[in-house]
């Protein structure tokens, strides 16, 4: 038996993670909205003859992407089943690229740029669900958490890169100030489209559609061994055994995602709840109001620089998650993150409420108390963003990518991903209005949600570290208590190994019998 290597599987995960920086498209527009040329082309003229971008126009430009992501996240479930994971990635990458081209080619048409953002959003939403689906099905179980964390890392790197590019181009007086940041996304789409030349199909999808020989080839590639290596047959036999156990009952429907069969409703609700709680962690609030906090501390940093600082903190925070997701596990990461962020939220909220000067107060009028309070708030804001990046940023996506049986996996992941985008939209729409009324006390809402998140994880989220996707299915069917799940041991692999061993033993016995008959004759 040749020594297995996961090099090819890791290369695939890195390509999928960094070939498409989803976060870039989310972050780039915030800087464009305050660029003079962008405002002149897509804004209105006030009574003084000056161009401005009304809140309603800002809202439609930003929200159309969220609307597209929601639709795309659900729509990919149909393409992932019909055309496979590989084909679906290529289809939605092409749609995203078309949407970026429409935006970049806009002259001064508000309708064109919003439609372009909606089309790009379709691709972003669809791929946000397909990436954890694909990586979850191709990654070895010992590295699956780490490779799925790359998904969150590429979101954060994308956000950070968009802030850096906005900072670099915002001073330009021509349309290049916003066309360059927006048009740069064409590179991400073209990189993903190049995957047609080397992306393999998911072996689980191949087996689920009766293409066993192709599955053998892919499994051999992913493990870096020849196709005739015993490891390949053993792995495929285990997958087949698990798929047969989880796929009894025919073709899945959307309703089955919430059925009591094999505790599917628990898994779907868990995936959706983690995405819901993730969006209400409070970290996005700092991106929206970070400049206000820094100004309250007496700094003269521009909104572009503030975004780069917070983006850099997020990138640094996501790096240790690559290891912690496998050493600490999913449950411990979520529980630790909820407590750390809750402390940050309540301290920042109360300090901000009782010490900060009213918004818009000139820097020279800030008191020593105002500046000290601003410094404390900034420190806890940075710690909050850092903690989110380590724990709650990546872990819900890891959990979403590894919790569902093959028959409903695309649909259940679609529901979880769509939940994320729905609450992303609602938060961006309502948070500014709430904050305008109660200021930093809005952070107490996020504090309450983080406490709810801690309780929910403790009682409902089982540990999935170190299990194959089929073993995760077995654990849910075993109805193990989440707080006892860290010590649970699977039996599915043992049974599959036993079946393969019995098959090999029969084959050896038959060969010996043939040899014996041949000698006697």
């Amino acid at each position: 038996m040749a020594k297995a290597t996961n090099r090819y599987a890791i290369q695939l995960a890195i390509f999928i993670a960094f070939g498409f920086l989803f976060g870039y498209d989310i972050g780039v527009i915030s800087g464009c909205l305050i660029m003079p040329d962008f405002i002149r082309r897509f804004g209105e003229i006030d009574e003084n003859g000056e161009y401005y971008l009304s809140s309603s126009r800002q809202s439609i430009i930003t929200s159309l992407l969220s609307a597209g992501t929601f639709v795309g996240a659900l729509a990919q479930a149909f393409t992932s089943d019909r055309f496979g994971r590989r084909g679906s990635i290529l289809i939605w990458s092409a749609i995203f690229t078309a949407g970026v081209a429409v935006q970049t080619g806009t002259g001064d048409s508000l309708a064109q740029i919003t439609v372009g953002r909606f089309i790009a959003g379709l691709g972003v939403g669809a791929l946000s669900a397909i990436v954890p689906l694909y990586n979850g099905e191709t990654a070895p179980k010992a590295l699956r958490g780490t490779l799925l964390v790359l998904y969150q890392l590429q979101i954060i790197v994308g956000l950070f890169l968009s802030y850096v590019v906005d900072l670099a181009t915002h001073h330009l007086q021509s349309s290049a100030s916003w066309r360059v940041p927006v048009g740069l996304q064409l590179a991400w789409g073209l990189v993903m489209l190049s995957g047609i030349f080397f992306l393999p199909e998911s072996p689980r999808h191949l087996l689920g559609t009766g293409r066993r020989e192709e599955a053998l080839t892919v499994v051999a590639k992913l493990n870096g061994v020849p196709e005739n290596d015993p490891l390949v047959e053993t792995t495929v036999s285990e997958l087949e055994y698990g798929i047969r156990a989880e796929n009894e009952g025919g073709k899945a429907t959307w309703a089955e995602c919430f059925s009591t069969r094999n505790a599917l409703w628990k898994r779907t609700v868990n995936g959706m709840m983690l995405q819901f709680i993730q969006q209400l962690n409070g970290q996005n609030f700092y991106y929206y109001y970070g400049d206000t906090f820094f100004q309250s501390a007496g700094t003269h940093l521009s909104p572009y620089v503030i975004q780069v600082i917070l983006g850099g903190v997020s990138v640094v925070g996501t790096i240790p998650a690559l290891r912690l997701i496998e050493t600490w596990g999913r449950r411990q990461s979520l529980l630790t993150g909820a407590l750390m962020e809750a402390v940050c939220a309540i301290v920042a909220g109360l300090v901000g409420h009782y010490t900060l000067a009213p918004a818009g107060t000139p820097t020279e009028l800030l008191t020593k108390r105002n500046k000290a309070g601003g410094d404390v708030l900034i420190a806890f804001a940075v710690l909050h963003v850092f903690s989110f990046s380590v724990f709650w940023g990546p872990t819900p996506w890891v959990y979403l990518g590894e919790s569902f049986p093959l028959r409903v996996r695309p649909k259940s992941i679609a529901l979880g991903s769509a939940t994320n985008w729905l609450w992303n939209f609602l938060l961006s729409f309502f948070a500014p209005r709430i904050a305008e009324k109660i200021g930093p006390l809005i952070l107490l809402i996020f504090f309450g949600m983080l406490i709810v998140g801690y309780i929910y994880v403790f009682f409902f989220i089982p540990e999935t570290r170190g299990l194959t996707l089929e073993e995760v299915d077995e654990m849910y069917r075993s109805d193990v208590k989440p707080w006892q799940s860290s010590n649970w041991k699977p039996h599915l692999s043992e049974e599959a190994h036993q079946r393969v061993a019995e098959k090999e033993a029969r084959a050896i016995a038959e060969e010996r019998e043939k040899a014996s008959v041949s000698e006697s004759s």
Side-chain angles (χ1 to χ4, degrees), residues 19-63:
F20 193 97
L21 303 175
F22 302 107
Y24 186 96
D25 198 51
I26 300 168
V28 73
I29 197 64
S30 60
C32 295
L33 291 175
I34 55 177
M35 293 178 181
D37 187 83
F38 191 91
I39 295 173
R40 182 180 64 79
R41 289 172 181 271
F42 306 110
E44 304 167 88
I45 301 177
D46 61 17
E47 60 274 11
N48 298 320
E50 296 183 357
Y51 286 96
Y52 75 103
L53 204 58
S54 65
S55 58
S56 61
R57 291 203 173 195
Q58 289 187 43
S59 177
I60 194 171
I61 290 173
T62 55
S63 64

Side-chain angles (χ1 to χ4, degrees), residues 50-376:
E50 296 183 357
Y51 286 96
Y52 75 103
L53 204 58
S54 65
S55 58
S56 61
R57 291 203 173 195
Q58 289 187 43
S59 177
I60 194 171
I61 290 173
T62 55
S63 64
L64 260 290
L65 178 77
S66 296
T69 56
F70 178 78
V71 175
L74 294 175
Q76 66 77 32
F78 299 98
T79 59
S80 292
D81 278 337
R82 182 175 180 81
F83 301 106
R85 290 28 166 173
R86 175 177 179 269
S88 197
I89 288 172
L90 299 174
I91 290 169
W92 292 105
S93 296
I95 291 173
F96 167 78
T97 306
V100 173
V102 170
Q103 294 177 67
T104 309
T106 304
D108 53 12
S109 171
L110 180 66
Q112 185 175 338
I113 197 165
T114 52
V115 168
R117 283 184 61 75
F118 178 81
I119 295 172
L122 291 173
V124 171
L127 287 160
S128 73
I130 299 170
V131 168
L133 170 66
Y134 183 82
N135 278 354
E137 291 187 345
T138 57
K141 66 179 181 180
L143 294 174
R144 188 176 63 243
T146 297
L147 297 184
L148 284 169
V149 168
L150 284 174
Y151 172 80
Q152 175 66 16
L153 182 60
Q154 55 84 9
I155 292 177
I156 298 302
V157 170
L159 276 169
F160 177 67
L161 183 58
S162 72
Y163 297 151
V164 171
V165 175
D166 279 347
L167 176 64
T169 65
H170 79 278
H171 65 281
L172 300 176
Q173 299 303 309
S174 66
S175 64
S177 60
W178 59 271
R179 284 190 201 274
V180 170
V182 172
L184 190 58
Q185 297 170 98
L186 289 170
W188 318 150
L190 294 175
V191 166
M192 288 299 288
L193 286 171
S194 71
I196 192 172
F197 297 110
F198 63 88
L199 274 182
E201 185 51 85
S202 156
R204 287 176 171 86
H205 176 74
L206 291 172
L207 290 172
T209 52
R211 296 149 67 185
R212 193 177 195 277
E213 292 303 316
E214 293 179 58
L216 288 169
T217 301
V218 173
V219 169
K221 265 190 172 183
L222 290 173
N223 287 279
V225 297
E227 284 187 45
N228 59 358
D229 191 277
L231 173 67
V232 176
E233 181 62 37
T234 300
T235 302
V236 170
S237 295
E238 288 178 14
L239 291 176
E240 287 179 318
Y241 185 73
I243 289 170
R244 277 196 299 270
E246 69 185 24
N247 280 357
E248 295 172 355
K251 189 174 181 179
T253 64
W254 286 93
E256 188 177 338
C257 296
F258 298 96
S259 72
T260 56
R261 180 178 176 273
N262 292 342
L264 287 176
W265 72 272
K266 286 185 182 179
R267 309 190 219 188
T268 302
V269 170
N270 280 348
M272 295 174 70
M273 278 296 294
L274 288 181
Q275 295 294 326
F276 161 63
I277 296 169
Q278 185 205 56
Q279 281 299 313
L280 291 178
N281 266 216
Q283 80 291 343
N284 284 337
F285 179 76
Y286 295 114
Y287 284 104
Y288 301 146
Y289 288 90
D291 57 327
T292 302
F293 293 160
F294 277 66
Q295 288 166 7
S296 298
T299 182
H300 297 283
L301 295 175
S302 74
Y304 294 102
V305 175
I306 292 169
Q307 286 184 326
V308 169
I309 291 172
L310 291 176
V313 169
S314 295
V315 172
V316 172
T318 307
I319 293 173
L322 292 167
R323 178 163 178 77
L324 289 176
I325 197 69
E326 294 297 354
T327 54
W328 282 22
R330 286 57 159 161
R331 272 177 61 85
Q332 191 59 44
S333 292
L334 291 171
L335 292 171
T336 303
L339 288 180
M340 289 182 64
E341 291 180 62
V343 170
C344 294
I346 193 169
V347 171
L350 293 176
V351 169
H353 177 70
Y354 288 110
T355 66
L356 291 187
T361 301
T363 303
E364 61 271 13
L365 297 181
L366 294 177
T367 66
K368 186 176 294 186
R369 174 186 172 86
N370 296 149
K371 292 181 179 180
D375 289 341
V376 172

